[in-house]
Amino acid sequence: MLRKTRTASQLQEEVSRRIHRAPEVVEDGVKIRVPRPQWQEPDASGCNWTMQHFGNAIGFDRVVNDALKAVQKEYNLSEETKDLNSLFGDFPKS
């Protein structure tokens, strides 16, 4: 299956959404901190990103892992990079 490409922010939001809709997370009312995805060389499945160090996730390892693996199967991290010297990216030339 071909993966769709998403930005780091979009991947972070999608993993967070899936974690926070899990019944046990909703029931406990816990807020799990989801880190930014980090680019990696594509693994055996072709996934080019990972996440580490989820916050406030003790006891929710299965939920976090399931959400992460599901999103990794569907999406790859966009390889587009913006100018790191510019806070707002490049402005159009006039």
Side-chain angles (χ1 to χ4, degrees), residues 47-84:
C47 181
N48 70 351
W49 63 279
T50 190
M51 287 181 167
Q52 298 176 0
H53 312 297
F54 288 79
N56 202 32
I58 295 173
F60 296 97
D61 296 334
R62 184 192 55 77
V63 172
V64 168
N65 193 46
D66 289 352
L68 178 60
K69 295 300 178 199
V71 176
Q72 285 178 317
K73 283 183 182 178
E74 294 178 38
Y75 301 105
N76 261 341
L77 180 59
S78 170
E79 294 182 27
E80 294 178 17
T81 58
K82 70 176 186 179
D83 181 2
L84 297 178

Side-chain angles (χ1 to χ4, degrees), residues 3-80:
R3 289 180 173 86
K4 298 172 190 154
T5 304
R6 296 291 184 262
T7 65
S9 294
Q10 290 170 322
L11 292 173
Q12 185 178 27
E13 289 170 13
E14 183 62 17
V15 172
S16 180
R17 186 182 67 77
R18 293 185 190 205
I19 289 171
H20 291 101
R21 75 175 185 197
E24 52 267 61
V25 174
V26 171
E27 183 178 306
D28 284 1
V30 67
K31 178 70 175 154
I32 295 172
R33 188 188 62 76
V34 178
R36 298 278 293 174
Q38 300 297 311
W39 189 86
Q40 66 179 12
E41 288 294 326
D43 62 17
S45 73
C47 181
N48 70 351
W49 63 279
T50 190
M51 287 181 167
Q52 298 176 0
H53 312 297
F54 288 79
N56 202 32
I58 295 173
F60 296 97
D61 296 334
R62 184 192 55 77
V63 172
V64 168
N65 193 46
D66 289 352
L68 178 60
K69 295 300 178 199
V71 176
Q72 285 178 317
K73 283 183 182 178
E74 294 178 38
Y75 301 105
N76 261 341
L77 180 59
S78 170
E79 294 182 27
E80 294 178 17

